[in-house]
Amino acid sequence: MAVVEGGGIAEGSRRVTVLGAGLSGASVALELAAQGVAVTLIERDPQPFSRASLRNEGKIHLGLIYANDRSLATARLQLEGALQFGALLRRWLGAAAGELRRSTPFHYLVARDSLLDADQLEAHYAAVQRLYDEQRERAPQLDYLGTRPGRLYARIDPARLAPHLRLEHFAAAFETAELALDTAQLARLVRQALAAHPLIELRPGHRVDAVCANDGGFVVTGQSASRRWTLESQQVVNCLWEERLRIDRTVGLVPPPGWVHRLKYRVIARLPRAMRKGPSVTLALGPYGDVVVRDDGTAYFSWYPVGCKGWSHDIVPPQAWDAPCRADLSVGVARSVAREILGAIEAWYPGAAQCEPLAVDAGVIVGYGHTDVNDPASGLHERTRVGVRSQGGYHSLDPGKLTTAPLFGKQAAERVLQELQRS
């Protein structure tokens, strides 16, 4: 077995198949290709990065929102992912990663019926700050999307936000260093990187039906628009999202109990001029939402009470969810969803109802919990049952959040390399 400089495996010496070309699958493929390993990347949609990776708020979490996980395990994991996110993108995308647009910094507003009060939230934020300081002391080279903020948060007088928000809805306010990326721009850059790399063979329009182990590795079977297809592979990395658990089960990897799929809608809208200098906002802590203000005059809007329109404990979400996840909505449905979400946000962020909707679609959220986020005991308040599970040459990657997708993608690639070196 030939090994290239840096520990990679020479092109053509082994074959690896990655299922799913969202940010997780793209991260695995780009890291393996950087190590000299040829990869076949399977994607059911016409192009990569077309579903959940695209249709979210783009926030690169520092761990602040997971205040109801008192162990700090979720915050620690999100912080680790955030502090490696930018460096990994620069590794895979090159100088183009520096072009990514960032939102205005997030302000966390404490709702009057928040699951945790302002003092409890501030105590959590202080604990996250300590974790951040410890990580920076151990590894001074770490950065957050190219920046090195000294403070991650500060409690502020809510009156500072009076020009933009209706303050009677909030008990307290915090400014933070958290930012969001424009996921549509990120998608374009990732697609370009995948297409440009000679060691990555992208097969779009290929839906995976099953993975079966054989003596030499695995057989992946599926369906394209015109035919059934079969692909033999020594190793498989399952980076599918809403179909990951189903495929895991076909190869004998038992899914962890308690999963839940939720269908959550978003609106991308053009802002009135008066809103373009407004803050990006996350409401804490409970079933609320986000406004993400971008420098191109647009914003992302979500409001959980009206935007979460599906809940399923099935191994695969209902087929009816597929259309909104492809942005395939009738004009009437899209207008109705936009009116609901923007109208609800108008109650506390004036001007939202006057925004011009540009896109309405949905993404599936995969988590673990039997009750919703309005329950303080819900498993949805933590994201620790995530990462890479391996069974021989089969690896299943649950990124948990966009923030940790590159981190786990690199870890999955490292496991593939270890298997290749053993064989």
Side-chain angles (χ1 to χ4, degrees), residues 1 23 32 40 110 116 179 192 207 242 301 410:
M1 179 178 63
L23 184 55
L32 287 173
T40 299
V110 184
L116 298 178
L179 301 168
Q192 291 168 8
R207 181 184 176 120
E242 60 263 38
F301 294 88
K410 185 173 184 292

Side-chain angles (χ1 to χ4, degrees), residues 30 49 89 92-101 182-196:
L30 289 166
F49 215 113
L89 288 191
W92 299 324
L93 306 182
E99 302 170 7
L100 284 166
R101 290 189 295 271
D182 182 336
T183 56
Q185 185 193 25
L186 178 59
R188 288 193 294 272
L189 295 179
V190 169
R191 291 166 188 159
Q192 291 168 8
L194 293 172

Side-chain angles (χ1 to χ4, degrees), residues 264-280:
K264 181 183 172 185
Y265 280 76
R266 68 165 189 172
V267 177
I268 304 296
R270 192 179 312 282
L271 296 169
R273 189 166 300 277
M275 292 185 69
R276 294 184 183 181
K277 299 297 183 182
S280 294

